[in-house]
Structures are given as C-alpha cells and as structure tokens.
Amino acid sequence: MYRCKAPTCFHRSRSLGAYANHYRLHSNEANVTFPCAVKNCARRFRTYSAFKSHVTRDHENARREGSNTVSSAPIQCQCSFCSKFLQSIKDLIAHQKDHITQGVEVTCPFNGCNSKFKIKSSFTSHLSRRHKNPANREVSSELLVHVNSQATNNTSNLSQFDGFDSGETSNNDNLENDDTQEDISELFVKNLALFYLKLNAKYHVPASTIQKIIQEMQAMHNMSQTHLKHHIKTKLGEMSVGSAVIDQIVNEFLPNDIFNLAHGNKGALSTEYRRKQFFRSKFRYVAPVTIYLGFDKNHVKRYFEYVPIIETIQELLKDAGVKKQFANPILNSDDILRDFMDGSVAKSNVLFVELGNAIKLILYQDAFEVVNPLGSAKKKHKVLAVYVTLGNIYPQNRSQIDQMQLVLLVRESDFKFFGQDAVFRILVNDLKKIEEHGVLVEKEYIRGTVTMILGDNLGSHSIGGFVENFSSSPYVCRFCLMETKNIQLGDIFDTFSQRSPDNYNANLQNVESNPDLGNYKGIKFNSIFNELKYYHVCNPGLPPCLGHDLFEGVVNYDLALYIHHFVKVNKWFTYAQFNHIVAKFKYSGSDANNKPSIISEQGSKLGGHAVQNWCLLKLLPLYIGPRVANTCDPVWQLTLLLREVVELICAPEISLAQVAHLRVKIEDIRAKSFTLS
C-alpha cells in the first residue's frame, strides 16, 4: 500500500502507478513536492512531470508488480514446510517454480483455480493460457496475510514490505482506500480551483479569459459525454441489455461526472463569483481591509489596502509544513554563519533570548509600476507594497517568493502625501500587539517582533527617516556616520562611528529643535517603526540589498570596465565575439532562466538585472578563459578577485575566519582598483 505524503491527505494506493496518478491531484498546491514511495528511494521532485518520468523510467518493475496483484497485502506461501512471506504475486510465482524444481507440487495461486502442478513448463503454460487476463489474476484470499490475525502475522517479517501499513486490514473485503472506489471529487475540484487561481495570480491570466477557457472546456466536455453516452447505449444494446436497464445505467453515472459537478450550471467553479467564494471557503484566506486616508491635494478620497498581519500569521501557523519548522528550529552552536539568527543582531534581541519560540517577522517593502513606466503614465500608478515572511521557517524555504505574504498596498503618491504615520499606523499597532500579547495559535499566545525590514536603499532610507538624496547629502550611509567626502578622498579603509539608537535619538533632537535644518547627520525624522519595543532601524534593522548594491552596483559597473579593457586595450576579443559566446553557451539549471544580457560597446555598465550580472561574473572564466593571453594581467587578476569576493559574500554559509578573509579581499580589490585608475 502506497501512502500519500501530502499533510492533509490520507489516500492509499494499491500500486505505484496509482500513487503517481493520485499525486496529479496535488500538483497545483503551493510549495508541493512529489516524493517517490518506492522503498530505499528518497528522491523528491519539484514538478509533477519530473516525478512521473522518474516513476516510469526508474521503477518499471515496481509498477509492473503493482499491476500484477490486486491486493497490496503480503502473500504467504501455503506449502506446509515453507510459509514464506512474499511481496507480490510475481515473487510468489517465481517462488513456486523453485518448489517445482525441488519436486514439490504447487497449487495455482489465483482465486477459483485449484489446478496443481509438478512440471514447471506446465505451470508456466497454465498461467499464460488461463491467467493472462487481469480479471483472472485475483489472488486467492487464503494466501493473503491478514494484519489483524495473530496466528499468522509476524510484525518483523511484514515490516520489510514498502508501503505496508500495519494499522489497516488488507483483505479484499476492506476497499475503502482503493483507488477505484475512493471518492476523489472533493480533491479533484480543489486541485482544479488551485489551477485556476494559479492562472490568475501567477501567470496573470485575466479572469475574463479564464471564464472563456472554462466555458469552452465545458462545451467540449458536454460533446464528449454525448458521444460517450451514445457509444455506451450501442454496446449495451449489442449485449442484449434491455433499454430500461441501459437508461438506468447511463442516468446513474453520467450525471455524477466530477468535471460537470465543478463547471455545470451551479458548479462551484462555473463563474468568477463562485470561484472567489470557493477560494474564500476552502483555502486559507485573509480578507484585506480598506483603510480611509483622507482627501489628497486634488480633493479626491484616498484609501489603501491592509491585510491584517495577525490573522495572516495565524493562518500560516496552521499549515503543517510551517508548523513543523516553527516547532523544530535550526540551532547552530558553532562559529559558522548560516542564517540571520547566527548574527549578533538577532542574538542580542532580548525577546529572542527570552523566548526560544518567538515569532520572527521579516518585512519587505518595494514600489512597483502597474502600467508602462514610460511616457505620461510614469509614476502615476506606482504602488508601494509591504510583505511579510516568517523568519522561523528554514532558509531554503524562506527564499522562495511563495512564502512572502502581502501586508499592505498603497499608491506611492498617497504615501508621500499623507506620510508614514497615516499609512503604517495600523500595521505598527498590530506589531505592538504581537510584541506585548502575542498571536493566538492553538490556544497559546506566542509573542514575536520584527527582525528586519528589507528593501532597496531608497525605500529603506524612506522607512528609517534617513535622507534620500544620495548625490549631494554629506551623510548617505544608514549604518555609519561616514561623510561623502571620505569616499571621494579614497579613505575607504577608515572605520567610522556606527549609528545606534542613542546617537539616532540625539541627532533627531537636533532636527526637532532646528526644523530649518531639514536633517541632521542624515536623519530627517523618527521612523514610526522605532515605536516597537524590540526593534530599531539602527540596531541595525535595515539590511543592505545585495541585488542593488553588489550586482546592480559594483559588478554592474566594474565588470563592464574590465571587459572594456579586455576588448579595447588587450584586444583579446571583440564585443561581437563576446556576445556570441555568451549567447551560444549551454546553460543549465537556474542559469538557463537568467542568461546574461548583451553588452553594448558604448555602455558603461552591463545592463542586465542582478541575477543576470551574477551569472555573467560566475561563468566569465568559461566564456573567455581560452582567449586570456596573459593570466598575470592585472585587470584579469582583478576580475578573478572580484569573482572570489562575490562568492564569499553569497556563500550559503561562512565562518568567522572567512569573514576576516573577506575583509582583506575587499581591501585588496579596492586598493588595486585605485592603483589601476
């Protein structure tokens, strides 16, 4: 018996093929993986197609064995001196042939057949002639091992069978979990609903288009049913079945078609309204709340949408996978940095020290355009979004986009007009409740707080109350009190005073006492998130963004300069040759989805997005390695040094010794850059 490993599904399949087919009904669930159920095979797959290919390609024998036996129960040889347990009918037949070779008479193992054999070839011929049809291959009930039978059951012997559940009876009289009899209509409709939801939310297919697809699918299905009904009536008529019985048969099973039940006139998924009602009732749905802001400068009423963060956390912690990771956190006792919880900021958080199971919230904010960002509509419909992710789930899962839950949506122009307090007040009040009272989870209140607020530099400075003018302000860093002139003078190895809640508040007092200053040492106003007891923007609570700072900053400009040097000075290749090599390179895995963009001869930067630039730097030695005429060339050495620095920064884990090594490498790359410039 193959057990479905989905958290809320208790389905049992008699064969591996049926198990694989059943998992199609889970294919549209969020974050689903497809585990192989064959004994000693621990492989899991991200896509259903890869899983089905694995079963077909690598477990052909297991599928055949499953189709050769009607029951998943172990089979026991009935020879008085043997009584050996066999896993499948195929194994039993081979075992019986061994008995015949030893001169022992055996009985045909199939139900209703009492033929006995002493000659191996006769036994083989009988099986081929009389039991080739699957309908005649039902195993005799006398051979099946009944799990509840104390006389014949041996737990140690039965444990060898993959998928065998000792908590179930396995005889043919108990078929509630048989694939052919189980009512899968609810799971079928749920999977279909998830498919439509995925089309709308992930693939951005308009609701009107989805409705048209459903209508056409239903129309084709009705035509198919009409054809099937006619075919059934014809065949039953040829078998001399009476017309009344035929009508009774047709009227019995055709109306119960689950596709019709979902899409019919009153089907749960037949209209957009009904689909939305189904989503709300069957899935973990937290309804957004519309919050009134007031009148803008054009005297138009403005609102923003808020998804209650407390309810969102409650629903997340009801998920079996999230609950398991929340209850079993990864604890590191060595000096290896693997996650934010290994850093000094999290380790010094009083709430996290007091409560081992505290809820750790990671907020993320960013603005995006909902229309073409060019032309007259530029910034007109730009929206600021805030998302939340549970820091308690494991890093490999937390990095997936599906784990980010929407918290707030507001037009960026409204955010600038009405200010932080008006937009973030309701969110901060809920975060205070989480800190003071906690979130109710299974009759227990669990407290938590914000660990960090992620975003690009402009957004983080806006959230933290820092200056957003990076070109002329003397203080542009939210982590330290370095002045811009120090960068221009090249004093990049100097250590400057770190920002802290104390000097943040002291500088804030200067701004409040002298409003004409506009800002003091880079601080304009007090962030509303500083009202939280266990969070402050200068703890630090606004981490840097690798995508913008490193890959769309340093790598974007520096690597473009290096390639320009290779082309124009060293003349190792041309831009056309380089772009041809990059385009024709055989990519695999995630690199195939992030192929580097074409580099313009006139451009001063690479031009790709963050991961494209990362991919280009990572594969650069493979692109141009054979064309490097002088491996001691200082610019080539600088390129390799930059690649090494990026690998250390992006490493999934790094030791404290490697952090010190990274600092040396960064100083080295900056010193060589200044020397070459």
Side-chain angles (χ1 to χ4, degrees):
M1 190 74 74
Y2 295 92
R3 299 185 293 272
C4 177
K5 296 176 175 60
T8 59
C9 184
F10 304 98
H11 180 84
R12 301 291 187 270
S13 301
R14 288 182 175 275
S15 67
L16 182 61
Y19 170 84
N21 289 333
H22 166 77
Y23 249 94
R24 163 63 77 180
L25 297 175
H26 295 292
S27 59
N28 288 303
E29 295 179 7
N31 305 317
V32 66
T33 57
F34 303 94
C36 184
V38 176
K39 189 175 183 180
N40 298 325
C41 182
R43 297 192 64 183
R44 280 181 175 266
F45 299 88
R46 296 286 300 275
T47 63
Y48 178 78
S49 59
F51 163 66
K52 194 70 182 285
S53 296
H54 164 74
V55 171
T56 304
R57 182 179 62 250
D58 299 335
H59 298 301
E60 183 179 2
N61 291 335
R63 289 189 298 108
R64 287 178 177 175
E65 289 174 7
S67 64
N68 285 338
T69 178
V70 175
S71 174
S72 63
I75 303 170
Q76 187 176 22
C77 178
Q78 293 300 299
C79 294
S80 57
F81 64 88
C82 181
S83 301
K84 183 177 180 179
F85 293 104
L86 288 311
Q87 186 173 3
S88 68
I89 188 63
K90 182 179 178 181
D91 292 340
L92 176 63
I93 290 172
H95 177 70
Q96 286 183 315
K97 288 181 179 180
D98 290 338
H99 279 322
I100 294 175
T101 303
Q102 297 166 4
V104 179
E105 185 181 56
V106 299
T107 303
C108 180
F110 295 112
N111 196 30
C113 184
N114 297 318
S115 302
K116 298 181 182 295
F117 302 91
K118 289 185 178 181
I119 301 175
K120 185 176 178 180
S121 60
S122 299
F123 182 44
T124 303
S125 177
H126 168 79
L127 294 175
S128 176
R129 186 176 63 254
R130 294 285 303 276
H131 300 290
K132 187 175 183 179
N133 192 329
N136 297 326
R137 294 178 67 86
E138 183 176 350
V139 182
S140 175
S141 59
E142 296 178 357
L143 301 179
L144 299 177
V145 178
H146 295 261
V147 181
N148 292 334
S149 173
Q150 298 298 323
T152 60
N153 180 33
N154 186 320
T155 305
S156 61
N157 289 336
L158 298 180
S159 63
Q160 64 180 304
F161 299 107
D162 176 55
F164 183 77
D165 189 346
S166 60
E168 299 179 17
T169 57
S170 299
N171 56 27
N172 288 336
D173 296 322
N174 184 12
L175 296 176
E176 291 84 2
N177 293 317
D178 189 353
D179 288 294
T180 60
Q181 296 192 18
E182 184 182 19
D183 182 10
I184 63 169
S185 58
E186 183 177 349
L187 191 57
F188 177 88
V189 175
K190 178 184 176 183
N191 188 61
L192 204 55
L194 286 170
F195 172 66
Y196 296 145
L197 189 60
K198 182 185 289 186
L199 286 179
N200 187 224
K202 279 195 171 183
Y203 300 111
H204 309 296
V205 179
S208 58
T209 304
I210 294 174
Q211 184 64 30
K212 184 65 175 177
I213 292 172
I214 291 174
Q215 290 173 352
E216 290 299 318
M217 288 171 59
Q218 183 62 31
M220 294 298 103
H221 185 72
N222 289 340
M223 294 175 64
S224 175
Q225 273 201 326
T226 302
H227 175 74
L228 178 63
K229 184 177 180 180
H230 174 74
H231 186 70
I232 291 173
K233 284 186 174 183
T234 302
K235 286 296 181 182
L236 291 177
E238 292 174 356
M239 299 171 66
S240 301
V241 179
S243 59
V245 177
I246 293 175
D247 290 338
Q248 183 180 357
I249 293 173
V250 171
N251 294 332
E252 176 66 28
F253 73 83
L254 285 183
N256 291 320
D257 181 270
I258 53 180
F259 193 85
N260 258 348
L261 293 176
H263 301 105
N265 291 334
K266 295 184 179 180
L269 308 177
S270 58
T271 65
E272 182 185 356
Y273 174 78
R274 288 195 176 112
R275 288 194 295 276
K276 288 183 177 180
Q277 292 296 106
F278 186 90
F279 298 155
R280 291 187 177 98
S281 62
K282 298 297 183 180
F283 305 139
R284 294 193 177 96
Y285 173 75
V286 180
V289 180
T290 302
I291 308 297
Y292 174 67
L293 283 172
F295 290 91
D296 65 6
K297 59 183 179 182
N298 297 319
H299 302 289
V300 177
K301 286 185 178 180
R302 291 300 181 189
Y303 304 85
F304 72 92
E305 297 296 323
Y306 174 66
V307 182
I309 193 169
I310 295 177
E311 294 179 29
T312 299
I313 297 170
Q314 287 175 328
E315 293 300 325
L316 282 173
L317 292 177
K318 289 179 182 178
D319 182 84
V322 174
K323 190 189 303 182
K324 181 179 179 180
Q325 294 177 53
F326 185 87
N328 301 281
I330 298 175
L331 302 176
N332 298 322
S333 58
D334 51 20
D335 292 332
I336 306 297
L337 304 178
R338 299 181 178 88
D339 194 18
F340 74 93
M341 284 303 297
D342 299 327
S344 58
V345 175
K347 287 183 177 179
S348 62
N349 189 298
V350 177
L351 184 63
F352 298 162
V353 173
E354 292 177 354
L355 302 175
N357 68 335
I359 297 173
K360 303 167 181 67
L361 301 176
I362 300 174
L363 296 181
Y364 170 73
Q365 54 78 28
D366 195 13
F368 61 91
E369 292 277 7
V370 295
V371 296
N372 190 340
L374 303 176
S376 60
K378 185 178 180 181
K379 295 187 177 181
K380 184 178 180 181
H381 302 289
K382 199 170 186 180
V383 176
L384 174 68
V386 179
Y387 309 88
V388 66
T389 300
L390 279 181
N392 302 81
I393 62 179
Y394 298 158
Q396 65 270 23
N397 298 326
R398 193 194 313 138
S399 61
Q400 298 176 9
I401 294 177
D402 287 343
Q403 310 307 327
M404 297 173 60
Q405 308 298 321
L406 180 65
V407 175
L408 187 147
L409 285 176
V410 61
R411 291 200 333 155
E412 189 178 52
S413 57
D414 292 340
F415 175 72
K416 292 180 178 179
F417 181 80
F418 293 101
Q420 265 197 19
D421 193 78
V423 175
F424 291 146
R425 174 53 57 192
I426 186 171
L427 170 61
V428 171
N429 288 342
D430 280 351
L431 292 173
K432 288 180 179 178
K433 292 177 184 177
I434 295 173
E435 284 190 336
E436 296 170 6
H437 308 292
V439 177
L440 181 60
V441 180
E442 295 182 350
K443 300 180 180 180
E444 177 187 4
Y445 281 93
I446 303 177
R447 295 165 62 200
T449 189
V450 175
T451 61
M452 66 189 86
I453 302 177
L454 307 176
D456 57 18
N457 289 320
L458 189 64
S460 294
H461 276 244
S462 175
I463 293 290
F466 299 103
V467 293
E468 299 166 55
N469 184 350
F470 301 119
S471 58
S472 59
S473 176
Y475 294 92
V476 296
C477 183
R478 61 182 182 273
F479 303 107
C480 72
L481 294 171
M482 179 191 69
E483 296 186 53
T484 308
K485 63 182 180 181
N486 295 108
I487 301 177
Q488 297 169 346
L489 294 173
D491 299 333
I492 50 98
F493 304 137
D494 292 343
T495 301
F496 301 91
S497 299
Q498 300 293 302
R499 292 193 186 272
S500 66
D502 292 335
N503 60 38
Y504 181 96
N505 293 330
N507 296 333
L508 187 64
Q509 290 179 0
N510 284 297
V511 176
E512 294 172 348
S513 60
N514 300 286
D516 295 336
L517 289 175
N519 72 85
Y520 185 76
K521 292 192 175 181
I523 296 176
K524 298 193 300 181
F525 59 86
N526 190 17
S527 172
I528 189 174
F529 289 95
N530 290 336
E531 296 181 10
L532 299 175
K533 184 177 180 180
Y534 301 103
Y535 173 83
H536 194 281
V537 296
C538 284
N539 267 340
L542 300 167
C545 175
L546 281 184
H548 290 86
D549 295 346
L550 185 61
F551 295 113
E552 293 183 3
V554 176
V555 174
N556 195 23
Y557 290 92
D558 286 12
L559 188 55
L561 287 175
Y562 302 159
I563 294 174
H564 181 82
H565 179 85
F566 300 150
V567 173
K568 299 298 183 181
V569 179
N570 293 352
K571 300 186 183 301
W572 288 343
F573 47 82
T574 65
Y575 277 103
Q577 290 172 332
F578 182 81
N579 288 328
H580 178 77
I581 293 171
V582 171
K584 295 299 180 180
F585 190 85
K586 291 185 178 181
Y587 300 90
S588 62
S590 60
D591 293 338
N593 298 323
N594 299 286
K595 298 177 183 178
S597 63
I598 294 175
I599 301 178
S600 172
E601 188 171 351
Q602 290 75 30
S604 60
K605 57 182 181 179
L606 299 179
H609 59 64
V611 185
Q612 284 180 309
N613 295 343
W614 187 6
C615 181
L616 180 64
L617 177 63
K618 179 175 60 176
L619 300 177
L620 188 65
L622 299 179
Y623 293 148
I624 64 173
R627 297 172 180 267
V628 176
N630 179 17
T631 56
C632 296
D633 181 83
V635 178
W636 175 245
Q637 290 296 318
L638 194 59
T639 305
L640 297 179
L641 190 58
L642 175 63
R643 188 171 179 270
E644 184 180 356
V645 166
V646 169
E647 285 181 352
L648 284 170
I649 292 174
C650 299
E653 57 182 51
I654 186 171
S655 66
L656 295 180
Q658 287 174 314
V659 173
H661 177 68
L662 175 62
R663 176 185 174 86
V664 173
K665 290 294 181 181
I666 292 174
E667 292 178 354
D668 192 17
I669 198 172
R670 295 296 294 166
K672 289 183 178 179
S673 296
F674 277 114
T675 302
L676 290 173
S677 62

